[in-house]
Amino acid sequence: MAKKRITITDIAREMGVTPSTVSRALAGNNRVGLNTRQRVLKVAAQMGYQPNVLASSLRSGRSDTIGMVVPRINRHFFSHVISGVEALLNPAGFNLLIIQTHEREEHERKAFHTLLRNRVAGIIVSHSVETRDFSHFQKVIDEGVPLVQFDRVSGLIAGPRIVNDNFLGALRSTQHLIKNGCTRIAHFAGALHVNVYQERFDGYRYALEQAGIDFDPALVVENCIIQEAGMEAVTSIVLPQKVDGIFAASDFSALGAIQKLKEFNVAIPDDVKISGFANEPFAEMVEPTLTSVEQNAFEMGNQVAKAVIENIGKEELLSEEIHIAVRLIQRRSSVSDSLLMNSVV
Amino acid sequence: MAKKRITITDIAREMGVTPSTVSRALAGNNRVGLNTRQRVLKVAAQMGYQPNVLASSLRSGRSDTIGMVVPRINRHFFSHVISGVEALLNPAGFNLLIIQTHEREEHERKAFHTLLRNRVAGIIVSHSVETRDFSHFQKVIDEGVPLVQFDRVSGLIAGPRIVNDNFLGALRSTQHLIKNGCTRIAHFAGALHVNVYQERFDGYRYALEQAGIDFDPALVVENCIIQEAGMEAVTSIVLPQKVDGIFAASDFSALGAIQKLKEFNVAIPDDVKISGFANEPFAEMVEPTLTSVEQNAFEMGNQVAKAVIENIGKEELLSEEIHIAVRLIQRRSSVSDSLLMNSVV
DNA sequence: GACAAAAATACAAACGTTTGCACAAAAAAC
DNA sequence: GTTTTTTGTGCAAACGTTTGTATTTTTGTC
């Protein structure tokens, strides 16, 4: 395997200078003469030199790798945040080490260890749904590595937090159902110890309150974010409770509800109106198309990248919380009118 | 930032032994006494020691990081291959550095450079659709880094190739359309310089030939893999040419066709039968549900991981091509019969 | 108890960089 | 023409490990 790699010393020997000069030349240090610098660059290219990042980082104590820990990379939302992060980080000379936790707290802890052992310059994280103990987050900070949280964040941990405006999205979504005539609105909630689901729940309750509709706990389905749960909720809650609107904290459970309701020949949106959350790609493919709250994942990624870059080398993390605006996309699952148009609310 | 980290030397000093003993103890080397080894482990844990992978890799010349370069991480297929790779690689002590190319050859080249600079132990790649020049692949091999290609592979490059049985998938899919009565079958093809699309095209042609149906070049739409292209193809080819079946090399173009045909009130599957490729999640959400060829992405990931592990440290790459079986999933877009059932073909 | 063999540990160099400091040569100032 | 400043380069240590060899300690044998 590994053929002998060209090192800075090889170049130095070849040119009759010292490694330090070569190093400085490659780094663009202006303490080295212009023509030697150019010669070095030429020879390096000629010899096929590839800098050894390991040696460089070890000596300099700096790293150009940022770790990113997410529940899953194949979620529409997360993959777009990743793209947004890359879009700023790569031009800035950093690269991303992505690890998925598959929603397991244990994997999340392991991921943090791996990243710390690899001496990353910073860590970006959206925690797993299992995570309730955030001591590993604190450990990262204690090691002096900047930690940026996004989307699913814990308020107990210092540092930047980039979050969606879940409350407002939920509020607008529920208000939209009310405006369209719903009075018994069920909520498919997520795990309420996770901030995003708690906030969506809060938005839902606030909308009801504002409209003078009594909150009925019987209409809230907890842990209802996957397709199957949405289907079940139809038989267990939606039909028996004569629900006429569903605000789901997830497009997947909304999808399950649509499918199950169709089986029962319940008309959507005439009998039951539905809106989801996250605007998954399938939202405009399902029949009827699904009203949902779109999150600006790419923009969120940009803000995340900005935050992490800003905090590298800082003594103390700046603990700001940045809210990313969301917009409600109205589709056929909640509006019968064929004059329907997408509208930003 | 970076508080002082505990090193092996700190532990050694604390215990009154030398760093080499600590190193060997942590590595589980049996040249160090049992009780000192246990003492070292305890003290290390106590002091919160995190090994420095950079220093370790630099000295040992070994790395526990594998690079993976894919067009996009949010494609159903690729994200599942990634999971399959992780499933074997993580337990084996490796971690994955994932880089997406967004289908740009330039990004692919940069990704390779980044990985080589980081001295990864191996590289896994599925090339971008733009890539026609594979000199960067060769460079990786010349550097002595094992390169494993999967799905989209180039036959010009040595080393393991893990591929789907595209030919057979296309063959079965087209035969299925023929069996269900289609005689004028269009093919939505991809870029034919990419092996997967060429193979699907070949399978389509072979099926026609076997069935005694003349191949009509007018029914082949090149570069038709995205949704919009599928919609366009309906007006430009499908309707004017009185096509009664479509074998699409991509679920996305198949989806576009379904949507457009519905606009024209063409009955699916009665007037036109459609089958796609890749079994994207939306295939069973769209109306009518879409017949497609499922690829065993997770299994492919396993094979990829196996291949890369096997080839680390090898002098010469073993150039085997492994084919992963696919299966046709029959849905309503191609079968009117309500007695339809998923069948492995 | 002397001696060899085996086991445990220490020593020191190496991996490929970066970087503070020393130093020489050239340029500028007097 | 000497001194000062600037500019360019070299020297050598350091980053935190790993590892071949040397050395010490322990164990076993007679």
Side-chain angles (χ1 to χ4, degrees):
Chain A
M1 60 159 299
K3 316 293 183 274
K4 240 195 50 216
R5 305 270 168 74
I6 304 297
T7 73
I8 226 174
T9 320
D10 297 329
I11 300 176
R13 195 181 314 115
E14 178 77 17
M15 295 181 55
V17 297
T18 59
S20 46
T21 302
V22 176
S23 171
R24 283 192 258 257
L26 291 171
N29 189 318
N30 51 8
R31 271 179 56 198
V32 60
L34 187 63
N35 41 3
T36 34
R37 194 189 318 179
Q38 289 175 336
R39 267 203 323 139
V40 167
L41 258 42
K42 217 172 74 185
V43 175
Q46 224 165 27
M47 297 178 76
Y49 170 70
Q50 293 277 2
N52 187 329
V53 172
L54 303 177
S56 166
S57 294
L58 174 61
R59 170 58 233 242
S60 68
R62 274 170 272 138
S63 162
D64 59 353
T65 302
I66 307 265
M68 183 157 183
V69 180
V70 294
R72 310 206 112 93
I73 57 175
N74 65 337
R75 283 271 208 294
H76 182 247
F77 172 70
F78 286 121
S79 68
H80 282 254
V81 176
I82 291 172
S83 293
V85 170
E86 280 180 338
L88 285 203
L89 236 40
N90 292 345
F94 291 96
N95 46 322
L96 255 198
L97 185 44
I98 304 165
I99 305 187
Q100 40 182 345
T101 63
H102 296 283
E103 303 285 14
R104 302 293 316 282
E105 176 171 348
E106 190 200 335
H107 290 186
E108 193 172 277
R109 291 179 175 272
K110 274 204 192 131
F112 277 26
H113 273 125
T114 300
L115 295 175
L116 289 179
R117 280 205 305 269
N118 279 278
R119 298 296 187 264
V120 293
I123 294 183
I124 296 166
V125 61
S126 186
H127 70 76
S128 90
V129 75
E130 271 187 13
T131 311
R132 290 163 179 272
D133 168 13
F134 292 92
S135 56
H136 49 307
F137 283 46
Q138 191 54 50
K139 199 160 138 198
V140 169
I141 296 177
D142 292 345
E143 291 271 343
V145 175
L147 182 75
V148 175
Q149 299 185 82
F150 76 95
D151 193 45
R152 302 191 194 159
V153 305
S154 164
L156 303 173
I157 301 296
R161 290 194 292 272
I162 324 291
V163 293
N164 284 304
D165 212 332
N166 290 294
F167 179 85
L168 199 64
L171 177 62
R172 293 289 183 248
S173 190
T174 311
Q175 285 176 333
H176 161 75
L177 294 174
I178 294 171
K179 207 172 62 189
N180 280 269
C182 300
T183 54
R184 279 187 72 72
I185 303 177
H187 175 45
F188 291 180
L192 292 181
H193 69 277
V194 178
N195 65 308
V196 298
Y197 298 118
Q198 178 65 53
E199 289 159 17
R200 290 173 199 176
F201 179 50
D202 291 344
Y204 157 77
R205 289 197 60 167
Y206 189 72
L208 296 184
E209 192 183 318
Q210 289 292 304
I213 301 178
D214 281 345
F215 167 68
D216 182 352
L219 300 186
V220 175
V221 192
E222 247 207 268
N223 275 313
C224 186
I225 52 174
I226 67 172
Q227 196 173 347
E228 288 71 22
M231 302 181 90
E232 273 172 38
V234 166
T235 47
S236 64
I237 308 277
V238 177
L239 297 179
Q241 292 282 347
K242 302 196 192 316
V243 160
D244 60 4
I246 301 171
F247 165 57
S250 148
D251 278 350
F252 289 94
S253 56
L255 170 68
I258 290 180
Q259 293 173 325
K260 202 69 181 178
L261 286 170
K262 279 160 77 176
E263 278 181 29
F264 282 102
N265 290 314
V266 174
I268 308 170
D270 295 340
D271 298 340
V272 177
K273 301 188 185 4
I274 303 179
S275 88
F277 215 104
N279 195 30
E280 294 286 339
F282 66 75
E284 51 181 355
M285 296 174 186
V286 73
E287 175 59 35
T289 56
L290 176 63
T291 292
S292 192
V293 176
E294 183 191 46
Q295 304 164 310
N296 196 340
F298 193 84
E299 166 66 11
M300 174 171 270
N302 285 344
Q303 296 290 340
V304 167
K306 203 166 133 253
V308 71
I309 291 175
E310 271 174 15
N311 281 280
I312 290 174
K314 283 277 190 312
E315 194 57 49
E316 196 78 27
L317 293 181
L318 359 140
S319 280
E320 54 178 346
E321 183 162 300
I322 297 177
H323 289 253
I324 307 291
V326 299
R327 58 194 270 264
L328 179 69
I329 301 188
Q330 303 179 12
R331 297 203 183 89
R332 308 305 282 274
S333 68
S334 63
V335 188
S336 22
D337 184 7
S338 64
L339 292 174
L340 166 72
M341 38 191 261
N342 287 355
S343 65
V344 183
V345 186
Chain B
M1 61 157 299
K3 315 296 182 273
K4 234 190 61 212
R5 306 270 168 76
I6 304 297
T7 73
I8 225 173
T9 320
D10 296 328
I11 300 176
R13 195 181 313 114
E14 178 76 16
M15 296 182 52
V17 298
T18 59
S20 46
T21 301
V22 176
S23 171
R24 283 192 253 257
L26 292 171
N29 189 315
N30 53 8
R31 270 179 56 196
V32 59
L34 188 62
N35 42 3
T36 35
R37 195 189 315 178
Q38 289 174 337
R39 268 204 321 140
V40 167
L41 259 41
K42 217 173 73 186
V43 175
Q46 221 164 30
M47 297 179 75
Y49 170 70
Q50 291 277 4
N52 186 328
V53 172
L54 304 176
S56 167
S57 294
L58 175 61
R59 168 60 231 241
S60 69
R62 274 171 271 133
S63 161
D64 59 354
T65 302
I66 306 266
M68 183 156 182
V69 180
V70 294
R72 310 206 112 93
I73 57 173
N74 64 338
R75 284 268 209 296
H76 181 245
F77 172 70
F78 286 121
S79 68
H80 281 256
V81 176
I82 291 172
S83 293
V85 170
E86 278 180 338
L88 284 203
L89 235 41
N90 292 345
F94 291 98
N95 47 321
L96 257 196
L97 185 42
I98 303 165
I99 304 187
Q100 41 181 346
T101 62
H102 295 283
E103 302 285 12
R104 302 290 319 281
E105 176 170 348
E106 190 201 335
H107 290 186
E108 191 171 279
R109 289 178 176 275
K110 274 204 192 134
F112 277 25
H113 273 124
T114 300
L115 294 175
L116 288 180
R117 280 206 305 270
N118 278 278
R119 298 296 187 265
V120 293
I123 295 183
I124 296 166
V125 61
S126 186
H127 70 75
S128 89
V129 76
E130 271 188 14
T131 310
R132 289 163 180 271
D133 169 13
F134 292 91
S135 56
H136 49 308
F137 283 45
Q138 191 55 52
K139 199 160 136 196
V140 169
I141 296 177
D142 292 345
E143 293 270 344
V145 175
L147 182 75
V148 175
Q149 298 185 82
F150 75 96
D151 193 44
R152 302 189 193 160
V153 304
S154 164
L156 303 172
I157 301 295
R161 291 195 291 275
I162 324 289
V163 293
N164 284 304
D165 211 332
N166 291 292
F167 178 85
L168 199 63
L171 177 62
R172 294 288 183 248
S173 189
T174 312
Q175 285 176 333
H176 163 74
L177 294 174
I178 294 169
K179 207 173 62 188
N180 281 269
C182 300
T183 54
R184 279 188 70 71
I185 304 177
H187 176 43
F188 291 0
L192 292 181
H193 68 276
V194 177
N195 65 309
V196 297
Y197 298 119
Q198 178 65 52
E199 290 159 16
R200 290 171 199 178
F201 180 50
D202 292 344
Y204 158 76
R205 288 198 60 168
Y206 189 73
L208 296 184
E209 194 184 316
Q210 290 291 304
I213 301 177
D214 281 344
F215 167 67
D216 182 352
L219 300 187
V220 175
V221 193
E222 248 206 90
N223 274 315
C224 185
I225 51 173
I226 66 171
Q227 195 174 349
E228 288 72 22
M231 302 182 90
E232 273 173 38
V234 165
T235 47
S236 64
I237 308 276
V238 176
L239 296 179
Q241 293 282 346
K242 303 198 193 314
V243 160
D244 61 3
I246 300 172
F247 166 57
S250 149
D251 278 350
F252 289 95
S253 56
L255 170 69
I258 289 179
Q259 294 173 325
K260 201 70 180 179
L261 286 170
K262 278 159 81 175
E263 279 182 28
F264 282 103
N265 290 315
V266 175
I268 307 170
D270 295 340
D271 298 338
V272 177
K273 301 188 187 2
I274 304 180
S275 88
F277 215 105
N279 195 32
E280 295 286 339
F282 67 75
E284 48 181 355
M285 299 175 184
V286 72
E287 176 58 36
T289 57
L290 176 62
T291 292
S292 191
V293 176
E294 183 191 46
Q295 303 164 310
N296 195 340
F298 192 85
E299 166 66 13
M300 174 172 270
N302 284 343
Q303 295 291 338
V304 167
K306 204 168 132 250
V308 72
I309 291 175
E310 271 174 16
N311 281 280
I312 289 173
K314 283 278 189 312
E315 194 57 50
E316 195 78 27
L317 293 181
L318 356 141
S319 279
E320 54 176 346
E321 184 162 299
I322 297 176
H323 290 254
I324 308 290
V326 299
R327 57 192 271 264
L328 179 68
I329 299 187
Q330 303 179 13
R331 296 201 183 88
R332 309 305 282 273
S333 68
S334 64
V335 188
S336 21
D337 184 5
S338 62
L339 292 175
L340 167 73
M341 36 191 265
N342 288 355
S343 66
V344 184
V345 185

